[in-house]
Structure formats: structure tokens, C-alpha cells
Amino acid sequence: EVSLSFSPYGKDSREWSVYARNLGHEAWLDLPAETDGFPANDPGPLAVHRGLSRTEIVSRLRKAMQVLPGFVGFVLPPGQAVLPQADIIMPTLEELR
């Protein structure tokens, strides 16, 4: 079995994820997030990172989730720095719940 992840920034992510699911693959959503190189390495306008309010984190998360209906979970980028930061990850986990 193969699972695939798709970027919320991808031009054809929605179509490719539907295609993959129709072939029996799981579709995951790449969650843009702060990495060790932030802010020089900017993960884009949907990214969750330090300095955002709880409301903005949830808003960005919801916008990213709207891109890919039917995804089974999130994939965080290599070098991500959000998991150890409760002020970022807790609103994310609460929204997912």
C-alpha cells in the first residue's frame, strides 16, 4: 500500500487527492508549519508558526483543510518546530478533534 500527501498550495492537489483515493490510496495533507529555518524559510500564508494568535492558527488550519476533502491526517515538514510549542500545537489538535 502507498499513502500520498498533498500540499495545500498545489495547483492540482484536490484533483490528485481524489484520484489517489479512488485508486484506494490514503491522502494526507501537508501542513505548512514553522521550521528551524523560519522566518528565512517562510512556509507560506497557510502556515502555523510562533507569533500567531489562537484564532489565526485555527483560521489557517481550516483554510488548509478546505483544500483537500477526505484526507486522513497531516504531514508536518522536515525540521518542523511546532510540536514542542504548546501554544501552536494545542489549538491545532483541538481543532482536529
Side-chain angles (χ1 to χ4, degrees), residues 36-85:
D36 295 333
F38 184 78
N41 183 9
D42 186 353
L46 296 176
V48 295
H49 58 79
R50 281 180 282 200
L52 295 176
S53 69
R54 181 181 204 88
T55 303
E56 183 61 22
I57 290 170
V58 171
S59 174
R60 289 177 180 212
L61 183 63
R62 287 179 179 173
K63 287 176 187 173
M65 291 189 309
Q66 289 174 352
V67 172
L68 254 148
F71 67 95
V72 297
F74 287 107
V75 176
L76 285 168
Q80 63 78 28
V82 298
L83 280 179
Q85 297 181 42

Side-chain angles (χ1 to χ4, degrees), residues 20-40:
R21 284 195 322 274
N22 287 339
L23 291 175
H25 301 286
E26 288 182 331
W28 293 72
L29 178 61
D30 296 338
L31 180 61
E34 177 180 341
T35 61
D36 295 333
F38 184 78

